[in-house]
Amino acid sequence: MILSDEHQKFREKIRKYADEIVAPRAIELDKNDEFPHDLVKQMGEMGLYGLCVPEKYGGSEQGTLMYAIAVDEISRACGSTGIFYAAHTSLAVAPIYLAGNDEQKQKWLTPLAKGEKIGSFGLTEPNAGSDAAGTQTTYKLIDDEYVINGDKCFITSGHVADIIVLTATKDPALGYHGISAFVVEEGTPGFSLGKKEDKMGLRGSITSELIFEDCKIPKENLLGKEGDGFRIFMQTLDGGRISIGALALGIAQGALDATVKFVKSNSISGKLLSKHQSIQSSIAEIGTEIEAARLLIYQAAELKDAHKPHTKQAAMGKYYASLIGMKATNMAIEIHGMLGLTKKYPVERFIRDEKLMEIGEGTSEIQKIVIARQILGK
Amino acid sequence: MSLIKLNNEQKMIRDEFRKFAVSEIEPAAEEIEKNGVFPIAIVEKLVDLGLLGLIIPEKYGGVELDMTSLCIAVKEISKVCASIGTILVANNCLIAYPLMKFGQESLKEKYLNKLAEGEIGGYICEPEIDLPQEKNDLKTEGDNYIFSGHREFILNGEAANFYIMPIQTKENTKYFIFDKNTRGIFPDPKNLLGMRTAGFTEAEFQDLNMIKENCFLTDDKKDDIQSEIRDFSNIGFSAISLGIAQSALDTSIKYAKERVQFGRTISEFPMIRDMLADMKIKIETVRLLIYDAASRFDNGEDYSEQSKIARIIASETGIFCGLNSIQIHGGYGYIKDYPLERYFRDAKVVQLLDASPRIMKEEIAKGLLK
């Protein structure tokens, strides 16, 4: 595929921002577990959260391919900033856009798309991970209010979120038919924050436990109809996979770029590392796989923009990009040798960040099940 | 009959170290990882039990164990804390062994006894890339050597009472030994991806004065000291990877049997079972390779190629099992409440300590094509 001039120019613009503003912050964000409030604001001003949102709601509607390019470029500089961006956009902006009515969109989508508010997606629970339809968080309609009870975990940006899209069930025995999606605003009585997770990587992003105890929300906070929750989160995850694929891809590209810089500026026994055939062989392998992953992800994005089925391509893109991303980051460290284990180079951070991409928003095992179902039919 | 046959002494070592690891290290493992400092209290307990100078001859106050026993000890310790495994390997394989094999008697007397009494030796790794002259400058002055420069990786640096430093010269790689208090050493603690508590440092050296007697006596034409030390330490490092891999598997089996998704334990899902089986297959391969290399050494046979093969596969297996164990645990594998992410980070570090797989492969090929 060949990117249009418009896409190419956009890529260059984001790359410049990522190189000049985001990359220099990445080390400190990781080291100090610091959430990049300033970058989050800047990305909002640049319109990065509204790329798939109509102008009416504060977006620019430039499409998923634009968005995938942006995630790719931001993550190339900093995985933590990348995961915030991907989660906010694909998991909070997207479901409200997908399932919200006009009033809901005015109220929540617009500030999220403009970056005035931060969004989160509450799906995973202690006992509902890969089995996301096994949600045990319940809701009950009492006097025009929904009352929510339950715990959510591993929720990206939970502690800084203003708006949370949440799944809950009327009755766990109903299976996926019982699930509905809601919006809960920060500060709602009965909603509190649990612990912040201490993670291997993505340390500049926040991963939270959310606790709902008789949390009452207005009836108007239901997205779609009761029972639509499963469909809403499945569609959300289809799009989310494109973004996590792009994130995995960006980190892999970052690892390759760092390695190229290293091998062109260091020698062994007087010979530049880049002149060693075995190093060239590794670089060629990673480079090829990254290109292949990029094609898969961009293809999924184009299909989505064309309103064509993209479940298979999105799952393939995420599965493959995170797989080769682990290989790329691992190889990058190996080429750096012991120096690659130090904080003086970014590659040890890249591998810690990259590992989540095989887990978050559907593990690689789940992606394989999705892909196999698409290939084999029902 | 299994190829690996432990004698009674080796079985005793295994039981003793297993007991020590479980009762003394395990309860503290998380805490020392969090603090990231050299676990001196545990190392002192190892000393009290006489478990530190494992391969040092009795003549110098050591326990004089064979390599197979050292591997068993390192594996048992590393199952619980790979950082302490690294401390053991550095002290035995990179400090004691070079002294035993290449040091002159006066150095053996002095330093092997110190090691057996519980002193720690720091091993200053050779740089892997070319350094500018000012960062790597060895001069002779009369009978003495003067070194100025920078070294990025010192194993056991934080607790070292003395150091061994190989320096490549035009003729060969020279090994120097000097005390911590020698003038001209400026160490800094070092934080790596993993092995947070192994006490790595880096250091600047300014006009470090090393007397000729503190350089291992070598035939000037001989350049195989370094490769022999690396071959030997490869086996030790392999045992660390094996320990990590085994723990990653054990923890994953336990979790797979407990974790319920889609109405059944995840141990019932073929993809999870495959991952567990793959881990086991690699671990058993590694076990055979390590004990083969170790017993070759113990029997005085050539073990050079086997030690490299063992280390390459062992370190890949450590990483593989670390990553798979994270994957099986999902989100829980990615957070520090569980030990899996530490297993992976430690496994990645041990792969690259002092010798890279790329160079080892090149040496294996060289041997094949000789």
Side-chain angles (χ1 to χ4, degrees):
Chain A
M1 84 183 277
I2 299 168
L3 289 183
S4 69
D5 284 352
E6 198 192 347
H7 286 94
Q8 196 56 45
K9 265 194 203 123
F10 178 75
R11 174 190 288 289
E12 280 156 24
K13 182 180 123 190
I14 305 299
R15 174 165 295 199
K16 190 163 180 282
Y17 169 71
D19 278 346
E20 287 172 11
I21 310 290
V22 181
R25 297 285 309 285
I27 292 171
E28 290 300 309
L29 296 178
D30 176 67
K31 199 169 135 193
N32 305 331
D33 301 348
E34 180 196 338
F35 181 77
H37 284 284
D38 54 337
L39 302 180
V40 166
K41 195 161 164 270
Q42 286 161 12
M43 291 193 294
E45 287 158 6
M46 292 166 74
L48 295 189
Y49 307 130
L51 291 171
C52 303
V53 175
E55 282 174 27
K56 189 179 164 195
Y57 302 113
S60 58
E61 210 166 16
Q62 296 186 73
T64 313
L65 180 57
M66 260 335 174
Y67 167 55
I69 289 171
V71 174
D72 183 357
E73 290 300 329
I74 296 288
S75 310
R76 183 178 153 270
C78 175
S80 291
T81 309
I83 189 84
F84 162 78
Y85 176 33
H88 175 86
T89 313
S90 286
L91 302 182
V93 170
I96 297 174
Y97 173 54
L98 213 68
N101 57 36
D102 184 60
E103 200 180 319
Q104 291 171 329
K105 285 179 182 168
Q106 295 288 0
K107 187 171 177 192
W108 296 309
L109 182 58
T110 304
L112 285 174
K114 288 182 172 170
E116 293 160 359
K117 290 197 167 163
I118 291 177
S120 243
F121 183 53
L123 177 68
T124 301
E125 297 176 12
N127 293 312
S130 286
D131 183 11
T135 179
Q136 291 168 350
T137 297
T138 58
Y139 73 88
K140 209 183 236 173
L141 186 63
I142 303 173
D143 303 333
D144 277 2
E145 283 181 323
Y146 288 108
V147 183
I148 309 221
N149 277 290
D151 291 342
K152 297 284 177 179
C153 61
F154 300 124
I155 307 307
T156 303
S157 306
H159 278 75
V160 287
D162 305 294
I163 291 165
I164 291 150
V165 178
L166 186 79
T167 55
T169 180
K170 198 172 188 171
D171 176 0
L174 292 171
Y176 56 82
H177 299 294
I179 301 172
S180 298
F182 304 92
V183 171
V184 178
E185 293 186 44
E186 198 264 319
T188 308
F191 162 47
S192 59
L193 295 161
K195 66 170 179 165
K196 270 188 206 174
E197 299 295 352
D198 188 3
K199 310 187 292 295
M200 169 162 82
L202 301 171
R203 299 182 63 86
S205 74
I206 295 170
T207 308
S208 317
E209 199 177 22
L210 312 179
I211 301 158
F212 299 91
E213 288 166 313
D214 288 330
C215 173
K216 291 181 189 140
I217 53 171
K219 209 174 158 189
E220 294 72 40
N221 287 25
L222 173 73
L223 287 176
K225 298 192 299 292
E226 279 194 55
D228 278 355
F230 181 74
R231 181 182 59 79
I232 292 171
F233 87 68
M234 288 303 269
Q235 282 180 5
T236 300
L237 289 180
D238 269 353
R241 280 168 195 152
I242 297 176
S243 76
I244 297 296
L247 176 41
L249 175 66
I251 294 173
Q253 184 71 55
L256 175 60
D257 294 349
T259 305
V260 168
K261 192 173 157 204
F262 184 82
V263 298
K264 283 180 150 179
S265 50
N266 289 292
S267 315
I268 293 182
S269 310
K271 189 173 167 185
L272 267 184
L273 281 165
S274 58
K275 306 277 183 201
H276 285 254
Q277 198 175 60
S278 67
I279 303 271
Q280 292 171 355
S281 161
S282 299
I283 300 268
E285 249 178 67
I286 307 173
T288 305
E289 287 164 352
I290 288 175
E291 279 302 316
R294 183 164 287 124
L295 287 174
L296 271 174
I297 289 159
Y298 287 5
Q299 176 191 232
E302 284 201 309
L303 286 168
K304 184 165 189 276
D305 285 337
H307 305 290
K308 289 188 173 157
H310 57 276
T311 301
K312 180 172 85 173
Q313 288 77 7
M316 283 177 166
K318 179 187 185 278
Y319 166 64
Y320 187 68
S322 59
L323 179 77
I324 65 106
M326 282 311 291
K327 186 178 156 187
T329 50
N330 198 4
M331 218 182 254
I333 294 181
E334 235 167 275
I335 291 174
H336 282 69
M338 275 191 287
L339 290 169
L341 304 169
T342 70
K343 309 274 171 193
K344 291 179 184 170
Y345 296 89
V347 285
E348 69 85 35
R349 185 181 85 242
F350 285 140
I351 200 168
R352 285 187 288 112
D353 289 353
E354 188 74 313
K355 181 60 196 152
L356 187 84
M357 306 314 143
E358 292 189 314
I359 300 170
E361 292 185 46
T363 62
S364 292
E365 289 66 39
I366 295 295
Q367 305 307 321
K368 283 199 265 187
I369 290 169
V370 171
I371 295 164
R373 203 179 284 148
Q374 293 286 323
I375 295 175
L376 295 166
K378 284 188 182 151
Chain B
M1 194 164 75
S2 166
L3 274 175
I4 303 172
K5 292 180 279 290
L6 301 186
N7 61 34
N8 284 337
E9 191 186 50
Q10 290 160 343
K11 282 182 193 153
M12 243 172 61
I13 291 288
R14 183 193 59 201
D15 295 342
E16 195 168 345
F17 273 89
R18 190 171 287 173
K19 207 177 112 201
F20 183 84
V22 171
S23 63
E24 302 290 336
I25 306 179
E26 199 164 23
E30 234 175 87
E31 193 58 31
I32 57 179
E33 168 77 11
K34 212 183 264 170
N35 298 338
V37 292
F38 195 87
I40 198 69
I42 289 172
V43 173
E44 273 167 6
K45 278 185 196 159
L46 276 166
V47 172
D48 290 345
L49 292 166
L51 297 181
L52 204 59
L54 286 170
I55 62 162
I56 295 171
E58 285 178 7
K59 189 181 156 192
Y60 303 105
V63 196
E64 203 167 345
L65 292 180
D66 57 13
M67 188 58 187
T68 305
S69 301
L70 177 65
C71 286
I72 294 168
V74 168
K75 181 200 72 183
E76 290 300 330
I77 297 282
S78 303
K79 273 161 73 174
V80 175
C81 177
S83 285
I84 298 178
T86 303
I87 294 165
L88 268 180
V89 169
N91 233 31
N92 280 284
C93 300
L94 293 169
I95 303 290
Y97 182 71
L99 272 164
M100 284 158 56
K101 180 93 185 173
F102 303 106
Q104 47 271 46
E105 195 51 41
S106 60
L107 293 180
K108 286 187 194 173
E109 288 272 344
K110 184 173 173 193
Y111 289 104
L112 287 177
N113 278 307
K114 284 184 177 209
L115 283 173
E117 282 162 16
E119 290 202 2
I120 305 282
Y123 184 79
I124 303 174
C125 297
E126 267 219 273
E128 291 179 294
I129 51 169
D130 296 347
L131 296 177
Q133 175 74 16
E134 73 272 14
K135 287 197 166 182
N136 193 20
D137 188 22
L138 184 71
K139 285 197 280 264
T140 51
E141 211 176 87
D143 267 358
N144 293 0
Y145 290 94
I146 313 285
F147 178 71
S148 291
H150 180 80
R151 285 294 181 265
E152 192 79 32
F153 299 96
I154 306 176
L155 274 60
N156 286 356
E158 216 171 281
N161 302 94
F162 61 92
Y163 296 102
I164 286 184
M165 171 158 64
I167 301 179
Q168 206 179 350
T169 64
K170 277 199 190 90
E171 313 89 62
N172 56 17
T173 301
K174 291 195 175 2
Y175 279 73
F176 296 94
I177 188 163
F178 48 90
D179 289 328
K180 178 178 84 172
N181 299 327
T182 313
R183 269 173 46 177
I185 310 171
F186 304 94
D188 257 325
K190 192 158 187 76
N191 200 359
L192 298 187
L193 167 66
M195 299 284 190
R196 289 274 162 83
T197 57
F200 297 122
T201 54
E202 58 180 291
E204 293 292 335
F205 297 92
Q206 279 171 22
D207 296 327
L208 178 75
N209 195 333
M210 298 172 292
I211 53 173
K212 200 180 173 189
E213 288 72 37
N214 279 12
C215 176
F216 292 0
L217 281 183
T218 55
D219 171 355
D220 271 351
K221 290 195 188 76
K222 219 166 143 188
D223 193 22
D224 56 2
I225 292 194
Q226 187 177 40
S227 55
E228 180 149 359
I229 293 170
R230 283 205 169 141
D231 287 343
F232 186 75
S233 62
N234 278 339
I235 309 178
F237 285 124
S238 305
I240 300 175
S241 297
L242 175 63
I244 297 172
Q246 185 66 56
S247 268
L249 176 59
D250 293 345
T251 314
S252 299
I253 293 169
K254 190 165 167 269
Y255 184 77
K257 286 162 124 177
E258 288 167 5
R259 173 73 170 168
V260 175
Q261 287 287 273
F262 303 100
R264 67 197 85 165
T265 62
I266 61 168
S267 62
E268 289 184 43
F269 292 104
M271 280 194 243
I272 300 287
R273 300 169 80 95
D274 265 2
M275 279 196 251
L276 295 173
D278 281 341
M279 288 159 86
K280 178 68 174 169
I281 289 164
K282 287 182 199 280
I283 287 170
E284 286 311 309
T285 310
V286 164
R287 200 188 303 279
L288 286 169
L289 286 168
I290 293 178
Y291 289 115
D292 176 48
S295 69
R296 278 168 184 268
F297 176 86
D298 289 336
N299 294 320
E301 295 165 32
D302 183 18
Y303 69 102
S304 169
E305 189 181 62
Q306 280 73 22
S307 82
K308 294 184 187 86
I309 295 172
R311 177 146 184 214
I312 289 170
I313 303 192
S315 57
E316 279 172 6
T317 299
I319 294 165
F320 177 86
C321 292
L323 288 173
N324 263 348
S325 70
I326 293 176
Q327 192 66 21
I328 289 171
H329 285 72
Y332 296 103
Y334 197 67
I335 59 175
K336 293 183 183 257
D337 299 18
Y338 291 77
L340 300 317
E341 61 89 36
R342 167 164 63 94
Y343 293 158
F344 160 65
R345 289 185 292 102
D346 288 351
K348 186 65 203 165
V349 169
V350 75
Q351 179 189 39
L352 297 171
L353 290 179
D354 196 47
S356 84
R358 193 179 296 275
I359 287 168
M360 280 187 260
K361 264 202 230 174
E362 173 51 30
E363 279 165 8
I364 292 170
K366 216 186 271 172
L368 294 172
L369 299 167
K370 199 158 52 186

